[in-house]
Amino acid sequence: MQIHFFKYQGTGNDFVMIDDRTLTFPARKELVERLCDRRFGIGGDGLILIQPAEGYDFRMVYFNADGNEGSMCGNGGRCAVRFAADLGICEEETRFIAVDGIHEATLSDEVISLKMSDVSGIVHYEDHDFLNTGSPHYITYVENVAAVPVFENGKAIRYGEQYGPEGGTNVNFVEVKEENHIRIRTYERGVEDETYSCGTGATAAVLSYYTRHGSGSSVNVEVEGGRLNVRFESKGNGMFSDIWLTGPAQRVYQGEISAE
């Protein structure tokens, strides 16, 4: 069986994209893992299926690079919207469903703005914050994020005694550059490595930053692969709504690969 695939990236967070509106993609763990492998497959931080969904423009199904179906991926969602537009499913706006619920998005030639799920709480610890923005995120603040050994430190926290037994967590290291401007680096579970960008991580870092330092409702985020923006409405008591993740999403190439 030959699989027609597309490759998309959003600020360096890259995905294998499959048009699965016929519901025929053989979503086996070992196949997804091989397709995402950077040496023996296509290569990607994850794989996304676009499927039909009654009442919505499409369904987004996301798999981590390890082959397991994952929680929500913000940059993946933005890439899915661009892919859906390229397929003719939507134009300037869309409404779709993912594992964490309903999402809306608007798109232009330059950027995709994706509405994220509401956030209902941030847990503050002495050395970090923890919250769920569609995926679980650990946020810690550092003086110089460029010097942080993200893989080693992130892996230790992801599998550590606090979060490891609960399925692990994504880990974000945040440097405050100036007011409403942060830089982050992220260790992603499921990829089990640092990625160039993480949309739910950027969202989590911004909301954490707001509760500790912020005054505005829009924060610029530097990631290894470029720049994102997160805007939101604070409801108080760690509750946020109308959260929008904005940044570029582009097709890289397309091709065919054997499913065998």
Side-chain angles (χ1 to χ4, degrees):
M1 177 183 176
Q2 291 295 112
I3 297 172
H4 190 195
F5 70 87
F6 298 80
K7 181 74 174 286
Y8 280 69
Q9 65 87 15
T11 52
N13 211 184
D14 59 338
F15 306 96
V16 179
M17 312 290 291
I18 306 289
D19 178 3
D20 192 35
R21 286 177 289 175
T22 59
L23 302 177
T24 56
F25 178 76
R28 304 187 304 272
K29 180 182 183 299
E30 61 274 13
L31 173 61
V32 172
E33 187 174 18
R34 179 171 69 82
L35 294 180
C36 290
D37 191 285
R38 297 191 182 278
R39 293 178 176 83
F40 300 102
I42 302 162
D45 292 328
L47 181 145
I48 295 171
L49 304 179
I50 297 293
Q51 296 181 339
E54 186 175 355
Y56 305 95
D57 290 331
F58 63 92
R59 180 184 302 277
M60 168 188 164
V61 182
Y62 175 69
F63 295 88
N64 288 313
D66 63 6
N68 293 307
E69 190 168 349
S71 49
M72 181 56 187
C73 177
N75 287 328
R78 294 190 308 100
C79 286
V81 169
R82 180 69 75 197
F83 184 36
D86 290 345
L87 293 173
I89 295 172
C90 60
E91 293 183 357
E92 297 179 354
E93 57 185 31
T94 187
R95 184 170 179 267
F96 69 95
I97 190 162
V99 65
D100 64 333
I102 301 167
H103 291 270
E104 301 171 23
T106 62
L107 57 156
S108 68
D109 290 340
E110 291 77 30
V111 298
I112 305 288
S113 292
L114 174 68
K115 189 174 185 181
M116 306 294 285
S117 297
D118 292 351
V119 172
S120 59
I122 301 177
V123 183
H124 297 287
Y125 296 93
E126 183 177 349
D127 61 345
H128 72 279
D129 291 344
F130 184 81
L131 66 159
N132 193 305
T133 54
S135 292
H137 284 278
Y138 175 112
I139 309 291
T140 189
Y141 291 85
V142 298
E143 291 294 325
N144 180 11
V145 74
V148 174
V150 172
F151 176 78
E152 292 81 2
N153 292 5
K155 183 177 181 179
I157 295 166
R158 184 259 194 266
Y159 288 103
E161 62 181 17
Q162 185 170 2
Y163 296 106
E166 304 300 321
T169 182
N170 301 284
V171 183
N172 304 270
F173 302 90
V174 181
E175 176 185 347
V176 178
K177 304 293 288 185
E178 57 187 5
E179 186 176 10
N180 297 324
H181 179 186
I182 62 175
R183 182 182 176 193
I184 72 171
R185 293 172 64 192
T186 303
Y187 178 98
E188 281 199 55
R189 67 172 188 173
V191 180
E192 307 307 334
D193 204 347
E194 180 179 4
T195 56
Y196 272 45
S197 180
C198 176
T200 55
T203 303
V206 164
L207 300 184
S208 167
Y209 163 81
Y210 175 81
T211 63
R212 289 175 176 262
H213 308 283
S215 57
S217 59
S218 176
V219 177
N220 293 319
V221 185
E222 291 182 41
V223 295
E224 293 298 284
R227 290 175 178 266
L228 296 165
N229 175 269
V230 178
R231 66 184 192 273
F232 55 90
E233 181 179 346
S234 172
K235 298 293 188 180
N237 297 319
M239 300 181 68
F240 299 88
S241 65
D242 206 27
I243 305 166
W244 290 84
L245 171 69
T246 300
Q250 302 170 332
R251 180 189 292 189
V252 181
Y253 62 88
Q254 62 179 301
E256 289 192 346
I257 191 169
S258 173
E260 299 304 322

